Amino acid sequence: MPPLFDLDEYEFCLNGDRGIYCLVRMDLVGPDDSDLIQLIRDYSAVTTKHYNHSYLERGICVTRTCRKYFEYEQNVSDFDANLEACLNETIYKDYELKINLTKIYYCKKHEDGIQIDSYDWIVFGIFGFFVAINAIGTVYHQFVYRREEEKNIDSGNKYLLCFSIKRNWGWLIQSEPKDPRIRRLKGFYGVRTITNVLIIFAHIITILGNGFVANPRDFEEAYDHLLYQMIFNGVMVVHVFFCISGFLLVYNFLIRVEKLPATWASIPFVMFLRWWRLTPVYALIIAFNSTWMRHLSSGPLWDHYVTNSFVRDCRRYWWQHLIYINNYMTENKFCALHTWHVASDTQLFFIGLVAYVLTMKRGRKIVMILLLITSLILPSLHVWFQDLDGIMILMPEFFRTLNNDSFYLMCKLGHNNLVSYTVGMASGNLVYNWQKRGVDISKNKVFAKFLWLVIPAIALIMYSGQMFYIEGPRASVFLRMAYASLHRLIIAVIIAGGLIGMVMKSPIILRNILEWKGWVLPGRLTYCVYLIHFNFIHIISGIKITLNQAAMFNMFITTAGVTCLSYILALLLFLLVEGPLNNLMKTWTDSVKKE
């Protein structure tokens, strides 16, 4: 079969003043009596494991590869026709197949470039402001506040002190909260860090599968390998975060209402605090994506993977991210796609908060049961009415086009992740009540044995999704409905059991590993790392000037690089933006409480 992808040399093409480089799509159209075209159509029909080989993507140096077909004076229609004739000659000569030039993604010329506009300078000014205010706050803390502190003068500017890098670094590495019940949660840092790295690893496969690879056949064969089969179902890992979030909401809520009863009037304020906690650094990243991201590099694929997709959608749909509805907007396909989880988590946080305030006096068990039943029914209804699969099937074409109904219509919608959140809430409630009654499971050997099964059980659930990749008739709608609901419940129960055992000090070495102090810093940077890492995936995809090799070794090396760079930038973002603004809000709320 003709290779799916090919790239002519980009820089050499545009060295000349009249160089033109085009990225195009061409569809194979016959002849119909060709055995090869029939083979291609039959092979491409197995969509769960194969790319669609009936269309090809090429980066063409028009002025060199198609020199005899191309004339500069011709109009646009002649340009398209001559380019198609050139490509037809190449494909027919080697494979005796005909093509239609169905899309010219773009053409680049030697003199093309992107101008810096007013939005770029505005974002530059915002970043500059944060650098300046942190420099001022750090100098103030070091040379003014410390002298006043030594003289026991309590007249320092507490709001300016929030922007001290030194102070925020001290908070970042602080590992021992005052409340002993909160100290029991230190294992969560390990869980969050490890899960985050696994998610980065799963996202890196996007680079290998999203096109312009030299060995797409090897990538297709990966669907028959055990390790890849679990990686392709790795979207289930995100339920760890939903379960943790539900647990923390309820556990912290019940501890805090011991001193300050929750009311309906407190819900808007709590939601504002959460919005403030999540949004500033998120907004800055979206702002950077919309502006300076496009200036970072260039190349034959830069516009394809960055400027004309990622940057374009961020400029158009940035507001959806700031009010956390982007997971319900199907037209926004490229801008910070991975943040659907942040939006879903925020929506579920609101549902959980309302449920607990509503049931402060009575009816909590009934409401929780209703939430659980509803959360099980909703995914099944999506499968039934929209004819979806039981899980998000990561077909090769999904990496190439980002088109997947199960992802956009079920997986990333907040209400379809309610089951994990509800189970997390129930486990947080259970742990709080056990602690209040003095229940001790630290010597329970049966529960300890169960905890050893958590990781293998999660791996087994992930592997079970392989049933939907099997070649042949599609799974029945009833099997798909049952799997869509039950796999979420089972994996949530397993994760919740692990969280309960960790907080209740079950005596296994795994808990000791997760409670290692070294997890504190990367655990607190998890949010920033999660937001940032996908930018590197777009950059790596866009800077390619030759075809990549899809190989496991490349995945590990790229994951290591992306993880390290993400943590370095996350540390800077935390010290300059997230930490200062969180402390600013805390300082203000503390002063309001005193008044």
Side-chain angles (χ1 to χ4, degrees), residues 419-482:
V419 61
S420 303
Y421 208 88
T422 303
V423 172
M425 290 169 61
S427 60
N429 190 88
L430 179 65
V431 168
Y432 174 82
N433 288 324
W434 275 1
Q435 290 177 342
K436 215 172 180 185
R437 300 202 311 263
V439 175
D440 182 13
I441 64 168
S442 62
K443 297 179 182 180
N444 190 317
K445 295 182 179 180
V446 175
F447 198 82
K449 291 179 180 178
F450 164 78
L451 294 180
W452 279 112
L453 298 175
V454 167
I455 295 177
I458 292 175
L460 186 61
I461 294 295
M462 292 169 62
Y463 178 73
S464 70
Q466 189 60 24
M467 70 175 75
F468 297 101
Y469 288 86
I470 298 174
E471 298 181 30
R474 191 182 183 191
S476 69
V477 67
F478 297 107
L479 176 60
R480 286 182 278 137
M481 289 173 65

Side-chain angles (χ1 to χ4, degrees), residues 530-545:
Y530 185 79
L531 292 179
I532 292 171
H533 81 276
F534 222 76
N535 282 41
F536 290 109
I537 291 176
H538 284 283
I539 291 171
I540 294 171
S541 299
I543 63 175
K544 287 189 290 189
I545 59 174

Side-chain angles (χ1 to χ4, degrees), residues 319-344:
W319 57 274
Q320 297 177 0
H321 296 267
L322 300 190
I323 58 176
Y324 300 97
I325 60 170
N326 52 293
N327 59 323
Y328 281 91
M329 302 298 165
T330 56
E331 69 276 9
N332 181 6
K333 290 178 61 177
F334 298 103
C335 179
L337 180 64
H338 63 299
T339 59
W340 67 267
H341 159 259
V342 181
S344 292

Side-chain angles (χ1 to χ4, degrees), residues 46-63:
V46 185
T47 57
T48 55
K49 295 182 178 181
H50 298 162
Y51 287 106
N52 182 357
H53 287 258
S54 66
Y55 76 93
L56 315 175
E57 291 176 304
R58 296 282 188 272
I60 303 292
C61 181
V62 176
T63 46

Side-chain angles (χ1 to χ4, degrees), residues 150-165:
E150 290 172 0
K151 297 177 182 179
N152 294 321
I153 301 174
D154 189 20
S155 60
N157 190 320
K158 294 181 180 179
Y159 293 103
L160 185 57
L161 201 60
C162 294
F163 292 90
S164 167
I165 295 176

Side-chain angles (χ1 to χ4, degrees), residues 20-24 58-60 62 79 83 104 106-108:
I20 299 178
Y21 193 98
C22 294
L23 192 71
V24 303
R58 296 282 188 272
I60 303 292
V62 176
F79 175 87
L83 183 56
I104 299 178
Y106 51 80
C107 288
K108 305 283 286 186

